[in-house]
Amino acid sequence: MADSTDKLLRDYFSGRLKLMQKINPQCTRDIVDITFCLSVIKPEHKQAITKYYSDKFIT
């Protein structure tokens, strides 16, 4: 489960999930769920998560 959550968050922060939304309607629900979760956690936790997944795409 952790691997699938990690992949989902990587897809969300890379923008891939938004592209997949046109093919798979489930992605829209995933985007809503992730956005909601990020809105209710502490700001410092949100920053840490955002930084962790955003840093994975810097080359």
Side-chain angles (χ1 to χ4, degrees), residues 2 6-7 12 18 21 24 26 31-33 35-37 39 45-46 49 52 57:
D6 184 57
K7 181 180 182 320
Y12 175 81
K18 286 186 180 182
Q21 178 178 6
N24 183 355
Q26 174 62 35
I31 291 169
V32 170
D33 291 344
T35 304
F36 173 75
C37 290
S39 72
H45 294 164
K46 179 181 177 179
I49 292 168
Y52 177 78
F57 302 103

mmCIF file of all heavy atoms in Angstrom, residues 2 6-7 12 18 21 24 26 31-33 35-37 39 45-46 49 52 57:
data_model
loop_
_atom_site.group_PDB
_atom_site.id
_atom_site.type_symbol
_atom_site.label_atom_id
_atom_site.label_comp_id
_atom_site.label_asym_id
_atom_site.label_seq_id
_atom_site.Cartn_x
_atom_site.Cartn_y
_atom_site.Cartn_z
ATOM 1 N N ALA A 2 1.964 1.211 0.707
ATOM 2 C CA ALA A 2 2.848 2.375 0.756
ATOM 3 C C ALA A 2 3.406 2.687 -0.623
ATOM 4 O O ALA A 2 3.535 3.859 -0.991
ATOM 5 C CB ALA A 2 3.974 2.146 1.750
ATOM 6 N N ASP A 6 2.871 6.159 -2.555
ATOM 7 C CA ASP A 6 4.041 6.907 -3.015
ATOM 8 C C ASP A 6 3.922 7.222 -4.504
ATOM 9 O O ASP A 6 4.176 8.346 -4.936
ATOM 10 C CB ASP A 6 5.313 6.117 -2.727
ATOM 11 C CG ASP A 6 6.567 6.883 -3.090
ATOM 12 O OD1 ASP A 6 6.760 7.998 -2.562
ATOM 13 O OD2 ASP A 6 7.357 6.372 -3.907
ATOM 14 N N LYS A 7 3.518 6.244 -5.285
ATOM 15 C CA LYS A 7 3.354 6.452 -6.730
ATOM 16 C C LYS A 7 2.263 7.491 -7.005
ATOM 17 O O LYS A 7 2.428 8.359 -7.859
ATOM 18 C CB LYS A 7 3.017 5.137 -7.427
ATOM 19 C CG LYS A 7 2.869 5.296 -8.935
ATOM 20 C CD LYS A 7 2.529 3.986 -9.583
ATOM 21 C CE LYS A 7 2.408 4.064 -11.075
ATOM 22 N NZ LYS A 7 1.776 5.209 -11.639
ATOM 23 N N TYR A 12 0.863 12.932 -8.634
ATOM 24 C CA TYR A 12 0.168 14.185 -8.316
ATOM 25 C C TYR A 12 1.115 15.379 -8.428
ATOM 26 O O TYR A 12 0.814 16.362 -9.092
ATOM 27 C CB TYR A 12 -0.424 14.113 -6.910
ATOM 28 C CG TYR A 12 -1.068 15.403 -6.453
ATOM 29 C CD1 TYR A 12 -2.351 15.737 -6.857
ATOM 30 C CD2 TYR A 12 -0.390 16.291 -5.625
ATOM 31 C CE1 TYR A 12 -2.951 16.916 -6.447
ATOM 32 C CE2 TYR A 12 -0.982 17.472 -5.208
ATOM 33 C CZ TYR A 12 -2.257 17.779 -5.619
ATOM 34 O OH TYR A 12 -2.835 18.962 -5.210
ATOM 35 N N LYS A 18 -2.930 14.795 -13.441
ATOM 36 C CA LYS A 18 -3.860 15.668 -14.166
ATOM 37 C C LYS A 18 -3.969 15.260 -15.627
ATOM 38 O O LYS A 18 -5.038 15.363 -16.229
ATOM 39 C CB LYS A 18 -3.419 17.121 -14.044
ATOM 40 C CG LYS A 18 -3.684 17.685 -12.677
ATOM 41 C CD LYS A 18 -3.383 19.150 -12.594
ATOM 42 C CE LYS A 18 -3.683 19.627 -11.188
ATOM 43 N NZ LYS A 18 -3.457 21.052 -11.022
ATOM 44 N N GLN A 21 -6.129 12.172 -15.948
ATOM 45 C CA GLN A 21 -7.528 12.460 -15.623
ATOM 46 C C GLN A 21 -8.427 12.350 -16.858
ATOM 47 O O GLN A 21 -9.576 11.958 -16.761
ATOM 48 C CB GLN A 21 -7.566 13.857 -15.022
ATOM 49 C CG GLN A 21 -8.863 14.407 -14.643
ATOM 50 C CD GLN A 21 -8.685 15.788 -14.006
ATOM 51 O OE1 GLN A 21 -7.605 16.332 -13.963
ATOM 52 N NE2 GLN A 21 -9.747 16.337 -13.519
ATOM 53 N N ASN A 24 -8.656 8.357 -17.367
ATOM 54 C CA ASN A 24 -9.210 7.598 -16.254
ATOM 55 C C ASN A 24 -9.941 8.538 -15.295
ATOM 56 O O ASN A 24 -9.292 9.314 -14.586
ATOM 57 C CB ASN A 24 -8.072 6.865 -15.531
ATOM 58 C CG ASN A 24 -8.547 6.000 -14.403
ATOM 59 O OD1 ASN A 24 -9.720 5.981 -14.065
ATOM 60 N ND2 ASN A 24 -7.623 5.291 -13.796
ATOM 61 N N GLN A 26 -11.134 8.066 -12.464
ATOM 62 C CA GLN A 26 -10.743 7.851 -11.065
ATOM 63 C C GLN A 26 -9.670 8.857 -10.644
ATOM 64 O O GLN A 26 -9.597 9.231 -9.476
ATOM 65 C CB GLN A 26 -10.229 6.415 -10.870
ATOM 66 C CG GLN A 26 -9.671 6.131 -9.478
ATOM 67 C CD GLN A 26 -10.698 6.288 -8.365
ATOM 68 O OE1 GLN A 26 -11.863 5.987 -8.561
ATOM 69 N NE2 GLN A 26 -10.265 6.757 -7.223
ATOM 70 N N ILE A 31 -7.234 13.282 -7.251
ATOM 71 C CA ILE A 31 -6.786 14.670 -7.142
ATOM 72 C C ILE A 31 -7.550 15.385 -6.040
ATOM 73 O O ILE A 31 -6.970 16.095 -5.213
ATOM 74 C CB ILE A 31 -6.929 15.408 -8.498
ATOM 75 C CG1 ILE A 31 -5.923 14.846 -9.505
ATOM 76 C CG2 ILE A 31 -6.738 16.918 -8.328
ATOM 77 C CD1 ILE A 31 -6.148 15.319 -10.926
ATOM 78 N N VAL A 32 -8.859 15.192 -6.007
ATOM 79 C CA VAL A 32 -9.695 15.814 -4.971
ATOM 80 C C VAL A 32 -9.286 15.319 -3.590
ATOM 81 O O VAL A 32 -9.141 16.113 -2.650
ATOM 82 C CB VAL A 32 -11.191 15.529 -5.236
ATOM 83 C CG1 VAL A 32 -12.052 15.945 -4.059
ATOM 84 C CG2 VAL A 32 -11.650 16.229 -6.502
ATOM 85 N N ASP A 33 -9.057 14.027 -3.457
ATOM 86 C CA ASP A 33 -8.671 13.449 -2.166
ATOM 87 C C ASP A 33 -7.321 13.990 -1.690
ATOM 88 O O ASP A 33 -7.169 14.367 -0.527
ATOM 89 C CB ASP A 33 -8.608 11.925 -2.249
ATOM 90 C CG ASP A 33 -9.972 11.289 -2.406
ATOM 91 O OD1 ASP A 33 -10.997 11.966 -2.151
ATOM 92 O OD2 ASP A 33 -10.022 10.093 -2.787
ATOM 93 N N THR A 35 -5.790 16.778 -2.635
ATOM 94 C CA THR A 35 -5.925 18.207 -2.357
ATOM 95 C C THR A 35 -6.573 18.433 -0.997
ATOM 96 O O THR A 35 -6.127 19.282 -0.219
ATOM 97 C CB THR A 35 -6.751 18.896 -3.465
ATOM 98 O OG1 THR A 35 -6.130 18.629 -4.727
ATOM 99 C CG2 THR A 35 -6.833 20.389 -3.252
ATOM 100 N N PHE A 36 -7.601 17.661 -0.692
ATOM 101 C CA PHE A 36 -8.260 17.782 0.602
ATOM 102 C C PHE A 36 -7.299 17.422 1.736
ATOM 103 O O PHE A 36 -7.198 18.149 2.727
ATOM 104 C CB PHE A 36 -9.508 16.894 0.679
ATOM 105 C CG PHE A 36 -10.118 16.867 2.048
ATOM 106 C CD1 PHE A 36 -10.841 17.955 2.512
ATOM 107 C CD2 PHE A 36 -9.936 15.777 2.889
ATOM 108 C CE1 PHE A 36 -11.388 17.946 3.791
ATOM 109 C CE2 PHE A 36 -10.475 15.755 4.156
ATOM 110 C CZ PHE A 36 -11.202 16.848 4.611
ATOM 111 N N CYS A 37 -6.609 16.312 1.598
ATOM 112 C CA CYS A 37 -5.670 15.887 2.651
ATOM 113 C C CYS A 37 -4.590 16.936 2.885
ATOM 114 O O CYS A 37 -4.232 17.223 4.034
ATOM 115 C CB CYS A 37 -5.025 14.553 2.290
ATOM 116 S SG CYS A 37 -6.174 13.170 2.376
ATOM 117 N N SER A 39 -4.903 20.043 2.466
ATOM 118 C CA SER A 39 -5.490 21.262 3.022
ATOM 119 C C SER A 39 -5.778 21.153 4.521
ATOM 120 O O SER A 39 -5.923 22.172 5.188
ATOM 121 C CB SER A 39 -6.775 21.632 2.274
ATOM 122 O OG SER A 39 -7.816 20.736 2.591
ATOM 123 N N HIS A 45 3.855 20.267 7.746
ATOM 124 C CA HIS A 45 3.825 18.915 7.178
ATOM 125 C C HIS A 45 3.559 18.984 5.680
ATOM 126 O O HIS A 45 4.156 18.247 4.901
ATOM 127 C CB HIS A 45 2.773 18.052 7.864
ATOM 128 C CG HIS A 45 3.077 17.781 9.301
ATOM 129 N ND1 HIS A 45 2.134 17.311 10.178
ATOM 130 C CD2 HIS A 45 4.207 17.929 10.036
ATOM 131 C CE1 HIS A 45 2.675 17.167 11.375
ATOM 132 N NE2 HIS A 45 3.938 17.545 11.304
ATOM 133 N N LYS A 46 2.667 19.879 5.294
ATOM 134 C CA LYS A 46 2.369 20.063 3.871
ATOM 135 C C LYS A 46 3.623 20.521 3.130
ATOM 136 O O LYS A 46 3.926 20.028 2.042
ATOM 137 C CB LYS A 46 1.251 21.082 3.694
ATOM 138 C CG LYS A 46 0.900 21.332 2.246
ATOM 139 C CD LYS A 46 -0.193 22.357 2.107
ATOM 140 C CE LYS A 46 -0.478 22.644 0.655
ATOM 141 N NZ LYS A 46 -1.543 23.623 0.484
ATOM 142 N N ILE A 49 6.034 17.520 2.733
ATOM 143 C CA ILE A 49 5.565 16.581 1.710
ATOM 144 C C ILE A 49 5.780 17.169 0.323
ATOM 145 O O ILE A 49 6.290 16.501 -0.587
ATOM 146 C CB ILE A 49 4.087 16.218 1.936
ATOM 147 C CG1 ILE A 49 3.936 15.387 3.202
ATOM 148 C CG2 ILE A 49 3.504 15.474 0.737
ATOM 149 C CD1 ILE A 49 2.500 15.219 3.663
ATOM 150 N N TYR A 52 9.510 17.208 -0.491
ATOM 151 C CA TYR A 52 10.010 15.854 -0.739
ATOM 152 C C TYR A 52 9.655 15.382 -2.146
ATOM 153 O O TYR A 52 10.511 14.894 -2.882
ATOM 154 C CB TYR A 52 9.433 14.883 0.295
ATOM 155 C CG TYR A 52 9.849 13.459 0.070
ATOM 156 C CD1 TYR A 52 11.113 13.015 0.438
ATOM 157 C CD2 TYR A 52 8.972 12.547 -0.517
ATOM 158 C CE1 TYR A 52 11.502 11.703 0.220
ATOM 159 C CE2 TYR A 52 9.351 11.238 -0.721
ATOM 160 C CZ TYR A 52 10.613 10.813 -0.358
ATOM 161 O OH TYR A 52 10.986 9.528 -0.568
ATOM 162 N N PHE A 57 11.799 15.558 -8.839
ATOM 163 C CA PHE A 57 11.681 15.832 -10.263
ATOM 164 C C PHE A 57 12.678 16.880 -10.754
ATOM 165 O O PHE A 57 12.662 17.242 -11.901
ATOM 166 C CB PHE A 57 10.247 16.245 -10.594
ATOM 167 C CG PHE A 57 9.282 15.180 -10.182
ATOM 168 C CD1 PHE A 57 8.518 15.309 -9.046
ATOM 169 C CD2 PHE A 57 9.183 14.003 -10.912
ATOM 170 C CE1 PHE A 57 7.657 14.299 -8.645
ATOM 171 C CE2 PHE A 57 8.335 12.990 -10.507
ATOM 172 C CZ PHE A 57 7.562 13.141 -9.376
#
